[in-house]
Amino acid sequence: MLIRPPSISTIPANWPPNTGTNLIGSWKTTEYYRNQGLNIHFSSINTHQTTVGKIQSHQKPFNGSNIRIFSGSAHPTLAEKISKYLEVPLSERRITTFANGEIYLQLKDSVRGKDTFIVQPTVKTNGGKSVNDHLMEVALMADALKRASAKTVTAILPHYGYARGDKKAAKREPIAAAVTANILQATGVDRTISMDLHAKQIEGMFSAKSPLENISAIPLTAGYIANKNFETDNLVIVSPDAGGLKNAQQFQETLETLLKDQKKKISVDLAIVNKKRVAINQVKTMDLIGDVQGKTAVIVDDLIDTAGTTIGAAQELKKQGAKQVILLATHGIFSGKAIVSLKNADFIDEVVVTDTIPLSQETQKLKKLSVIPTAPLFGEAIKSLKSNNGLPNINDF
């Protein structure tokens, strides 16, 4: 669904390369994205880093016989894609809701002595379930797995709910991201994996005995942009606020590496939209720092929620002379009237998100929307953990 394929070039006959090559994922990962219409070569991503892991020839082939993958009710489609990628059947479970709103959960498969994985973004879905419902499902499932003598319990939260509550903005406020971390750890989760946290300090809210791993989607999103055919030879990566500047710089560096590898003579600049908020989801003023005149502007953010501030930033870029405007975010929440607003924003040429969050039918009808699959990245994360290698090849920047 919804993937607008860029041009596809031929993968070299000698691929995959010999050991020692910097890789994110495997040949299977590269082949997966090629089949999806995305020409993302994982050999060329992260090469600007000195700490990137290397795939070694002595690594044993992945054996999924000792793992069990369970899905909550939030995003079973993503869980199914991950299980298919790993060639491990999705384990059965039963989740129902009583008349009083309480959740009932039962695991149908034995997990004694197994490494178990729960796939569940903590988001609001069209079925009427809230962030809280899905978080409670994770907690109940983790508890059930521990009581059933699972060897390990890993919670894969593609989107970490309450991530924006990473600090106190005013007196007598809770730190919701920390409360979420406490719930996961208290119910028996040994490790949590998420993608592009809204605030990286959330990693510090988890103990060393139950750590949080943050995977970056930049290899996928930058790879997608690198393979597009633009109307201009000048790109500008735009941070929607000062807090996202580091992420935008990392995206810029990765994109420059990919374009250089493809021998494309396209310059990549950086700009910032400085915004002043007057309330949650409300912005009073926006100022542009940088030059977008006659360029293709790519706004890079971790999520699109109501899309109000993002659309405002795109409108400002268009006023400042940007020829094309692309919105790019890892998580497409699309709350409220976001889709209607994006549809009516004719100054936005494309909206790009990953599939960490299930998309409504209304969202899928948005013609300017492109969706990048993430199942191989999460699949490779499971492989790395299973082989006791951590996440050296796909970890965050």
Side-chain angles (χ1 to χ4, degrees):
M1 87 177 174
L2 295 176
I3 296 180
R4 190 171 297 119
S7 58
I8 300 175
S9 62
T10 303
I11 293 178
N14 61 349
W15 183 267
N18 295 325
T19 58
T21 301
N22 288 331
L23 295 176
I24 301 181
S26 63
W27 159 241
K28 182 175 180 181
T29 311
T30 303
E31 185 179 40
Y32 178 96
Y33 283 102
R34 184 186 67 175
N35 292 338
Q36 295 291 327
L38 294 172
N39 185 29
I40 299 174
H41 288 195
F42 284 83
S43 63
S44 60
I45 300 174
N46 263 5
T47 53
H48 63 284
Q49 299 182 83
T50 58
T51 58
V52 70
K54 295 183 179 181
I55 291 180
Q56 303 294 334
S57 60
H58 63 265
Q59 284 188 349
K60 297 179 180 179
F62 174 71
N63 182 3
S65 62
N66 203 44
I67 74 170
R68 297 290 183 268
I69 302 173
F70 291 89
S71 172
S73 63
H75 203 347
T77 301
L78 178 57
E80 185 66 35
K81 289 179 180 178
I82 294 172
S83 68
K84 285 184 178 180
Y85 178 81
L86 293 172
E87 298 178 352
V88 174
L90 197 62
S91 295
E92 294 186 19
R93 81 320 186 245
R94 181 187 175 197
I95 301 176
T96 59
T97 304
F98 292 114
N100 65 354
E102 293 178 358
I103 299 170
Y104 172 79
L105 183 145
Q106 181 188 27
L107 308 177
K108 294 291 188 178
D109 292 346
S110 173
V111 296
R112 185 175 297 275
K114 306 295 184 182
D115 294 310
T116 60
F117 298 85
I118 305 168
V119 180
Q120 175 93 314
T122 46
V123 293
K124 180 181 178 181
T125 54
N126 292 323
K129 289 190 175 182
S130 67
V131 175
N132 302 333
D133 292 328
H134 293 134
L135 177 60
M136 190 63 181
E137 283 184 14
V138 175
L140 292 175
M141 194 173 291
D143 183 79
L145 289 168
K146 281 295 185 181
R147 293 178 188 275
S149 301
K151 182 181 178 182
T152 61
V153 177
T154 299
I156 298 178
L157 310 183
H159 176 263
Y160 187 104
Y162 288 108
R164 284 175 281 185
D166 61 297
K167 58 184 177 296
K168 291 175 64 175
K171 293 180 179 180
R172 296 175 292 281
E173 285 186 349
I175 302 179
V179 174
T180 300
N182 291 338
I183 291 172
L184 294 172
Q185 294 172 99
T187 52
V189 173
D190 297 297
R191 183 180 298 269
T192 302
I193 297 175
S194 192
M195 180 172 281
D196 282 348
L197 290 168
H198 184 71
K200 287 194 175 184
Q201 60 261 35
I202 295 174
E203 293 178 83
M205 299 175 185
F206 288 75
S207 71
K209 293 181 179 180
S210 179
L212 169 66
E213 304 268 10
N214 184 33
I215 299 175
S216 174
I218 288 178
L220 302 183
T221 53
Y224 177 83
I225 295 297
N227 284 284
K228 289 182 66 66
N229 294 318
F230 295 104
E231 296 178 7
T232 70
D233 291 331
N234 296 303
L235 286 173
V236 56
I237 307 305
V238 182
S239 173
D241 52 43
L245 179 58
K246 185 177 180 180
N247 183 62
Q249 288 175 327
Q250 292 168 345
F251 187 95
Q252 178 195 27
E253 292 171 6
T254 303
L255 182 58
E256 285 178 329
T257 299
L258 291 171
L259 292 171
K260 183 178 180 180
D261 289 347
Q262 295 179 13
K263 298 181 180 179
K264 289 184 177 180
K265 296 181 179 179
I266 299 178
S267 64
V268 184
D269 298 321
L270 192 66
I272 307 170
V273 175
N274 186 34
K275 56 190 180 184
K276 182 179 179 181
R277 290 188 180 274
V278 292
I280 296 175
N281 292 330
Q282 294 183 25
V283 173
K284 183 178 180 180
T285 60
M286 288 190 179
D287 298 310
L288 177 66
I289 303 173
D291 179 26
V292 298
Q293 181 69 39
K295 300 178 182 180
T296 297
V298 182
I299 301 176
V300 178
D301 207 351
D302 64 307
L303 58 85
I304 300 176
D305 190 358
T306 60
T309 57
T310 309
I311 290 174
Q315 194 168 23
E316 181 64 27
L317 294 176
K318 206 68 176 180
K319 287 181 181 179
Q320 296 295 329
K323 190 170 184 179
Q324 282 183 285
V325 177
I326 298 173
L327 305 186
L328 187 151
T330 303
H331 311 294
I333 300 176
F334 302 123
S335 300
K337 298 181 179 180
I339 295 302
V340 175
S341 300
L342 288 169
K343 183 179 179 180
N344 294 333
D346 54 4
F347 47 85
I348 296 175
D349 297 277
E350 186 178 10
V351 179
V352 184
V353 295
T354 72
D355 64 348
T356 56
I357 294 175
L359 302 177
S360 66
Q361 291 185 355
E362 180 189 14
T363 303
Q364 294 179 39
K365 292 178 182 178
L366 184 64
K367 293 182 179 180
K368 64 179 74 175
L369 181 68
S370 298
V371 180
I372 302 174
T374 58
L377 281 186
F378 290 114
E380 289 297 323
I382 292 174
K383 284 184 179 181
S384 295
L385 291 178
K386 180 61 180 171
S387 59
N388 294 321
N389 289 321
L391 304 179
N393 302 314
I394 56 176
N395 208 352
D396 58 306
F397 290 72

